[in-house]
Amino acid sequence: MSARDIVLRVEHLTMRFGGLTAVGDLSFSAARGNITALIGPNGAGKTTVFNCLTSFYKPSEGRIALAHGDGAIWETLEQLTQSGARWLLSGGSALFLLERMPEYLVTRQARVARTFQNIRLFPGMTVLENLLVAQHNPLMLASGYTLLGIFGVPSYLAAERAAIEKARGWLDRIGLVDRADSPAGALPYGAQRRLEVARAMCTDPVLLCLDEPAAGLNPRESAELNELLLTIRQDYGISILLIEHDMSVVMQISDHIIVLDYGVKIADGTPQQVRNDPKVVAAYLGVEGEEVEKVEAEVGL
Amino acid sequence: MSADVPASRPDLPRVLREAGWTALIAFGLFLPLIGFVTYQDQSNQIALGTRWGLLAAFVAVITLGRLAYSLVLAPHLARAAATTARGEPSALRTELAKWIAPFAIGFVVVYPVIVLAITGIGGAVKWVDNFGIQILIYVMLGWGLNIVVGLAGLLDLGYVAFYAVGAYSYALLAKNFGLGFFMLLPLAGILAAFWGILLGFPVLRLRGDYLAIVTLAFGEIVRLILINWVPVTNGYAGIGGIPRPTFFGIPFNANDDGFAAVFGLEFTPLYRTLFLYYIILALAFLTAFVTLRLRRLPVGRAWEALREDEIACRSLGINTTNTKLTAFAMGAMFAGFAGSFFAARQGFISPESFTFLESATIVAIVVLGGMGSMLGVAIAAIVMIGGTEILRELDFLKQIFGETFDPTQYRMLIFGFAIVLLMIWRPRGLIATRAPSVFLKERTAIPADLAKEGHG
């Protein structure tokens, strides 16, 4: 991939917790409009990478850069790094250094949205309210930081109606229009997963980070999720970064796979390349490289 | 309670065993409280007496109560829980919910007139002041704290500090600079909101029990400053002679330029009481209006989202720092309004009025009412504060229990009992369902067990 098509570039990312190195010297890039999957055995450090990307953790070392718009902006990366600023705007494009930003700015300015491994909806709020909370920042601006909203000015009411329409559009897409007014906590598990994706999409992201979106779904729901992710990418032109254990999801929809083991990258390539990489097979089956062929023969690969 | 015992047929040995334990605990608890009594003997020295009969009566009543609970109430509750599916309120209840708010608003507006018609001028001052104004102050405080505790889910045990800031702001500025009530009311609110932000900053990272302890300490710090900063606050002695609110410059007194004389009426203290009643009523309505509006605005939804899941909020681009601080500031502002009204109404304030017990009462009102419910909080305030005042009125009990009987001394016992009962009957408060702030097709109440109480 050429440098211009890159949306996210992670360089030498290291995250240490005390003496434990959860992620060590990880570098990868994600291409614009691609679905990039991050896979690896349990405890490989995938979620830690996500938490670093979205600034829930401050990385011990490394640089995480995200570009909006024209890829030519990447040429200013060194300049931005030296300047000490959090981001650089030039024309319609922008370059962000995510590790320098607090987590709410990562979503608000850099437009990176995420979901969680264990679903984090607002269970006592309705499905519709969940989607409106996701549109907090534009609505806050429309309500004049509450001052205008409290008097019910027409411009705010119009903005709220537009936000509800947008939410209704997403509910249509995930098939939950009929459940719009029921509490999110009362939805079936699969619907909660889809709602969390829709809620993340309501923040208008450029990069959508999904942490095991297919966990706990049955094969049919899993296939529906694949469908949803592919149409989202197609309709909104966003890039998706995905952590997943379900290989049917990973192999079918991702364009590019990065494999982590013990916090270190062991493979990086297309699904086909990764599938045939002996290191990956070894990591998943838990044997040394030389013994892989023997094991493969035993399990009939 | 094991599951294999059918709820309809309580098992007798277990019931008796439980009753026995209850009797033992009651005996241990009331032996020092009721069983022994100190009095002065003939030589004016303190002596220890015993009240075995009364102690036996207490223990017997409690044991019988436990028996009745195990045999009658518990099976009934279990059956009720088994039969009523969650959600689905009855048609009557939905109908009631629709009419109760307009009815309540109408009632509080005409309340002084009704009282005046029933009791005449003499009684009306007492009923409007002790019941109307007193309850409305606590309704307002409850609604203010409801923003912090009920909506944002931040347990604040030092809320009375902001009430004190409002009261002292009014008292000091009115006495020293001669500013009027309506000028100082917003100022007191702003100062209290400023203190709310001041408290908010250090507790941003705290949750749950730790947050509760720090806010409790904050309440005590403010009270101790009021006690010890004598040159400004006059310490324990308090501040007296605080200017009372005037009717657009016309004071409520018996002079020739007083309210009664100017309007050609006969002087009674009732006019001032009525004036104060409608001021606090307007302030309470303002609190309710602003809170209801805020709930439908992004900031209010962000507060509730914060209560539900703070991490999810951060992942959606919500600045949780600002959101928490606005919740503290808004809650504190309404306490500041209530405080300056309190100072203006009493004409005298001292640190005694701002003890932890006040904070605890306000928190109890919010928790009993159902966190987040405006109507529930109002009902709880009426019961808690109105109940206290009613106890003062029960003079006829003296004829039953003798001249030395003072019902107000049993206030805490009765409250404790009522709170225990209520927490068994409605563990999430009187009105525990949450009304959604926005809806697509129809507004359906959200059952309490889904809404989170917040982590602090």
Side-chain angles (χ1 to χ4, degrees), chain A residues 55-56 103-105 107-108 112-114 116 119-126 128-130 132-134 136-137 139-140 143 146 149-152 156 160 164 168 171 177-178 180-183 185-186 199-200 203, chain B residues 86 289-290 293-302 304-323 330 434-447 450-452:
Chain A
S55 269
F56 276 78
E103 74 290 316
Y104 69 92
L105 285 183
T107 308
R108 190 158 90 189
V112 177
R114 73 170 292 182
F116 295 87
I119 304 174
R120 282 188 175 275
L121 291 170
F122 305 120
M125 302 177 85
T126 66
L128 182 65
E129 283 178 305
N130 268 272
L132 286 186
V133 171
H136 176 80
N137 289 317
L139 281 176
M140 200 70 183
S143 74
T146 307
I150 217 157
F151 299 107
Y156 168 69
E160 193 185 34
I164 292 174
R168 185 210 287 272
L171 290 175
V177 174
D178 292 335
D181 297 318
S182 39
R199 189 181 67 177
T203 63
Chain B
R86 88 146 96 105
F289 173 78
V290 170
R293 265 289 162 84
L294 287 177
R295 269 203 73 202
R296 284 167 176 72
L297 287 173
V299 68
R301 274 190 217 112
E304 292 201 79
L306 198 66
R307 177 192 69 203
E308 298 281 321
D309 195 326
E310 186 177 340
I311 292 188
C313 274
R314 282 155 61 191
S315 84
L316 294 173
I318 294 174
N319 184 340
T320 49
T321 304
N322 288 355
T323 309
M330 287 304 293
R434 176 181 173 270
S437 63
V438 64
F439 60 96
L440 204 57
K441 294 193 181 74
E442 54 164 352
R443 190 186 295 277
T444 44
I446 294 172
L450 283 170
K452 291 266 167 49

Side-chain angles (χ1 to χ4, degrees), chain A:
Chain A
M1 89 189 95
S2 85
R4 299 203 148 215
D5 296 333
I6 290 174
V7 64
L8 173 77
R9 184 183 277 170
V10 175
E11 290 162 287
H12 306 291
L13 176 67
T14 302
M15 183 72 214
R16 292 189 205 94
F17 297 103
L20 176 84
T21 305
V23 178
D25 199 22
L26 173 71
S27 300
F28 70 89
S29 4
R32 192 179 306 281
N34 266 8
I35 296 182
T36 307
L38 201 58
I39 65 169
N42 283 331
K46 306 180 296 286
T47 301
T48 307
V49 173
F50 260 41
N51 284 338
C52 289
L53 286 184
T54 47
S55 269
F56 276 78
Y57 294 160
K58 282 273 161 271
S60 314
E61 286 167 28
R63 178 165 70 181
I64 306 168
L66 179 99
H68 289 180
D70 188 2
I73 190 99
W74 281 112
E75 283 153 26
T76 61
L77 179 60
E78 288 310 320
Q79 181 198 334
L80 171 62
T81 311
Q82 296 300 326
S83 74
R86 287 166 168 173
W87 60 72
L88 186 148
L89 305 172
S90 113
S93 325
L95 193 62
F96 299 88
L97 289 180
L98 301 186
E99 81 278 3
R100 292 180 180 174
M101 299 162 72
E103 74 290 316
Y104 69 92
L105 285 183
V106 167
T107 308
R108 190 158 90 189
Q109 302 292 339
R111 304 218 162 279
V112 177
R114 73 170 292 182
T115 66
F116 295 87
Q117 195 169 351
N118 38 359
I119 304 174
R120 282 188 175 275
L121 291 170
F122 305 120
M125 302 177 85
T126 66
V127 170
L128 182 65
E129 283 178 305
N130 268 272
L131 297 184
L132 286 186
V133 171
Q135 303 178 53
H136 176 80
N137 289 317
L139 281 176
M140 200 70 183
L141 198 64
S143 74
Y145 295 93
T146 307
L147 289 176
L148 296 174
I150 217 157
F151 299 107
V153 294
S155 66
Y156 168 69
L157 297 178
E160 193 185 34
R161 269 196 301 278
I164 292 174
E165 273 316 304
K166 180 172 173 183
R168 185 210 287 272
W170 275 103
L171 290 175
D172 244 336
R173 197 175 262 265
I174 59 172
L176 284 178
V177 174
D178 292 335
R179 301 299 300 271
D181 297 318
S182 39
L187 292 181
Y189 188 82
Q192 292 196 12
R193 282 269 175 219
R194 275 178 287 147
L195 178 59
E196 207 190 11
V197 174
R199 189 181 67 177
M201 284 304 296
C202 276
T203 63
D204 290 326
V206 165
L207 176 69
L208 178 63
C209 300
L210 303 170
D211 196 346
E212 296 200 26
L217 299 187
N218 64 34
R220 191 176 54 81
E221 289 172 327
S222 202
E224 279 173 14
L225 183 80
N226 284 358
E227 194 66 26
L228 176 67
L229 295 185
L230 288 171
T231 56
I232 283 176
R233 176 179 61 163
Q234 192 185 335
D235 297 353
Y236 293 86
I238 63 163
S239 318
I240 296 178
L241 193 64
L242 185 76
I243 291 179
E244 193 47 79
H245 275 301
D246 186 336
M247 286 302 148
S248 70
V249 175
V250 172
M251 293 298 165
Q252 274 174 34
I253 67 169
S254 41
D255 305 295
H256 176 200
I257 296 180
I258 293 137
V259 190
L260 285 187
D261 193 18
Y262 296 110
V264 179
K265 184 166 84 171
I266 57 171
D268 188 342
T270 64
Q272 202 56 39
Q273 288 165 345
V274 166
R275 193 200 298 262
N276 297 325
D277 190 319
K279 272 190 184 158
V280 177
V281 179
Y284 270 93
L285 298 180
V287 292
E288 294 300 319
E290 308 89 67
E291 297 173 43
V292 167
E293 281 181 17
K294 209 172 79 191
V295 176
E296 277 184 334
E298 276 171 18
V299 300
L301 256 171

